[in-house]
Amino acid sequence: LTSFLAMAGLIRVVSQVARMRPAAVRITNAAALQHTTRRFYSEQISDADFDAKWVSYFNDTSLSPLQIRRGLNDVFAHDLIPDKTIIEAAFRATRRVDDFPTSVR
């Protein structure tokens, strides 16, 4: 009987800990999300500077195919239609590294 009561007490403690843990995880994830959101919106650049930044990025001759794909994903993540000069620089970069699948996408 005492082992049963001890086991019931252990189960109660474990269930209390299990209920507390998701709240701590939610707070941590919310704090991390809030921090990245603030950092994302703090960067304000003009359209011309944005275009120049990405054209110079794609004109770098040391880029690998993975870096070119990552750059294109970053450009498209801004949810805008990139300028013609950015697309031309990206096409030249994919041609330079002979990455046909990325140029088609």
Side-chain angles (χ1 to χ4, degrees):
L1 183 64
T2 58
S3 64
F4 176 74
L5 292 176
M7 186 61 97
L10 180 63
I11 290 172
R12 191 175 326 125
V13 170
V14 169
S15 67
Q16 288 173 353
V17 170
R19 277 186 293 212
M20 292 185 333
R21 183 167 276 168
V25 171
R26 276 195 304 268
I27 291 169
T28 304
N29 289 343
L33 179 64
Q34 187 179 23
H35 176 69
T36 56
T37 304
R38 270 194 232 137
R39 194 180 85 218
F40 177 73
Y41 288 114
S42 67
E43 182 182 359
Q44 297 290 328
I45 60 175
S46 69
D47 291 343
D49 291 339
F50 180 83
D51 294 345
K53 170 185 157 184
W54 287 107
V55 168
S56 66
Y57 177 82
F58 289 120
N59 285 337
D60 185 8
T61 58
S62 66
L63 290 178
S64 69
L66 176 65
Q67 291 169 327
I68 293 170
R69 283 192 299 270
R70 185 175 297 142
L72 283 169
N73 285 334
D74 288 345
V75 168
F76 296 140
H78 287 282
D79 198 27
L80 52 84
I81 299 172
D83 192 50
K84 180 177 77 168
T85 56
I86 297 173
I87 299 298
E88 288 174 354
F91 276 141
R92 286 190 192 100
T94 56
R95 175 121 187 212
R96 187 174 47 247
V97 296
D98 197 25
D99 190 8
F100 180 73
T102 302
S103 65
V104 170
R105 288 185 199 133

